[in-house]
Amino acid sequence: MPHLPARFAGIILSFAPLFVHRSWRHAQALLIGAILCPGRRTVASVLRITGRARDRHFVNTHRVLSRAAWSPRSAARILLRLLVEAFVPHGPVVLALDDTIERRWGRRIRARGIYRDPVRSSGAHFVKTSGLRWMSLMLLAPIPWAGRVWALPFLTALVPSERACRERGHRHKTLLDVGRQMALQVRRWLPGRDLVLVGDSAFSALLFLDALRRGGVTAITRLRLDAALYDPAPPRLPGTIGRPRKKGVRRPTLSKILIDPGTLWQQVSVPGWYGMGERKIEITSATAVWHHSGLPGVPIRWVLIRDPEKRFEPQSLLCTDPARDPTQIVTWFVRRWQVEVTFQDVKSL
């Protein structure tokens, strides 16, 4: 083990139980080199930065990632524990879930697929790209010495394309399936903590939201302005025949509430508005049941947002915990901007 400060060495040694002694010597060199390495963190770059570029047995370092038996899921659990202890020892643990595409080509890369490129596409222009789709779960934690919120990835899973699963005879899992499993896995890792999961409109699905709500995870996503909202189902009277009701009376859509002159708006200040400092906005909020035929009804608190200076289009959010404060919901959601910054920083290396 290189001579490192005791506190720094203690963090690295937390991952030692994942490896046998022979693999751990190479794994710790990879970990230290990845921290020190500028640019792309390839194994060759790691060997150069740690002074082992002329090592005769350099292939053993490659085998840590290709052949050595160790559990990345267990490593993610250890990393999450260290991050929570350092940055969020108390209060809600705010997580972000998002997918990214790694542009890769080659005959041996069997899990790749053809996807919509979210960076180069627009509403009127559709661009496809080939690569691997990864789902990443991140901790959105305020970093004291940085004065901002950082997205800290700790658990990443590959989402193979439908064609790759069909060729291997495996059941295809959608993004929502993988995201649900990752979020509920963290729920088991952090029992007793208040978990808040922030996602974009891709995770605004009733089955996904209902599964997280039942699992004890609060989800915050975007909500369509034309979503079907209802009152809660009335109490079931004794002696009533038939299935219990799932919803009550239909409510006006958010698009109608937006243009209604009788809507009461509240002006609030949101810190860290998409990385641009504090922003004053107007919000209105209420509780309802979001329901669609054939799907479970989910009790939500919706928040409608508009800019008094009309610098952005009105938008709406939902939270699966109706008791949450509307301003806090918006504050947690705008932290998601750090996810895009994190992905951009990683891709630029």
Side-chain angles (χ1 to χ4, degrees), residues 61-343:
T61 307
H62 287 268
R63 287 174 177 169
V64 174
L65 303 178
S66 61
R67 295 186 182 182
W70 57 282
S71 174
R73 182 180 298 180
S74 299
R77 183 176 186 176
I78 295 174
L79 178 58
L80 175 61
R81 176 178 58 83
L82 295 174
L83 292 175
V84 170
E85 290 177 355
F87 301 113
V88 199
H90 308 287
V93 178
V94 184
L95 308 174
L97 189 64
D98 204 356
D99 66 292
T100 184
I101 298 176
E102 180 186 6
R103 294 170 178 81
R104 297 286 297 275
W105 296 267
R107 295 181 179 179
R108 296 188 178 183
I109 305 177
R110 299 179 181 178
R112 67 185 178 93
I114 306 297
Y115 307 103
R116 176 184 179 273
D117 192 331
V119 177
R120 293 180 290 179
S121 299
S122 63
H125 187 59
F126 184 85
V127 179
K128 294 187 294 185
T129 185
S130 174
L132 301 174
R133 173 171 280 181
W134 297 90
M135 179 73 76
S136 184
L137 191 58
M138 294 150 278
L139 176 67
L140 298 179
I143 308 300
W145 62 83
R148 55 179 289 187
V149 174
W150 279 4
L152 306 174
F154 62 90
L155 179 60
T156 303
L158 178 64
V159 186
S161 64
E162 186 175 358
R163 183 186 64 180
C165 294
R166 184 172 60 252
E167 292 175 353
R168 296 185 179 185
H170 296 168
R171 181 175 66 87
H172 174 63
K173 293 182 180 180
T174 64
L175 288 175
L176 295 176
D177 294 333
V178 177
R180 182 191 69 250
Q181 292 178 341
M182 296 173 70
L184 296 181
Q185 177 67 80
V186 177
R187 173 74 284 171
R188 293 188 290 269
W189 287 348
L190 298 176
R193 294 299 300 269
D194 184 11
L195 296 186
V196 178
L197 181 69
V198 180
D200 58 12
S201 56
F203 302 97
S204 183
L206 285 172
L207 288 175
F208 176 80
L209 297 175
D210 182 66
L212 263 60
R213 181 180 64 88
R214 295 178 182 274
V217 179
T218 300
I220 299 176
T221 68
R222 293 188 182 272
L223 179 63
R224 294 170 56 100
L225 293 176
D226 59 351
L229 303 178
Y230 298 85
D231 286 334
R236 186 176 176 86
L237 299 177
T240 305
I241 301 176
R243 293 182 296 178
R245 296 183 60 179
K246 296 183 179 181
K247 61 184 186 301
V249 179
R250 177 71 182 265
R251 290 187 178 182
T253 61
L254 298 182
S255 57
K256 294 182 179 179
I257 296 176
L258 181 64
I259 61 177
D260 186 358
T263 302
L264 299 178
W265 296 89
Q266 177 187 3
Q267 189 175 77
V268 298
S269 297
V270 179
W273 180 267
Y274 292 99
M276 297 185 295
E278 189 175 79
R279 171 72 68 87
K280 291 185 177 181
I281 59 174
E282 293 180 342
I283 64 172
T284 184
S285 178
T287 60
V289 174
W290 185 22
H291 182 269
H292 191 276
S293 179
L295 297 175
V298 178
I300 64 170
R301 171 171 288 279
W302 56 264
V303 182
L304 195 56
I305 306 171
R306 72 178 185 182
D307 186 7
E309 300 182 7
K310 302 186 183 303
R311 288 171 291 184
F312 61 85
E313 294 294 327
Q315 52 186 284
S316 57
L317 307 176
L318 70 85
C319 177
T320 55
D321 185 357
R324 299 286 184 176
D325 179 69
T327 305
Q328 184 64 73
I329 293 174
V330 179
T331 303
W332 281 334
F333 183 80
V334 297
R335 287 189 184 184
R336 192 192 159 274
W337 180 80
Q338 307 300 333
V339 175
E340 306 298 337
V341 175
T342 299
F343 284 160

Side-chain angles (χ1 to χ4, degrees), residues 34-56:
I35 297 174
L36 301 176
C37 183
R40 299 186 61 186
R41 296 177 178 86
T42 62
V43 176
S45 299
V46 167
L47 291 174
R48 283 194 295 267
I49 201 67
T50 54
R52 302 177 59 186
R54 299 182 180 274
D55 193 344
R56 294 179 57 187

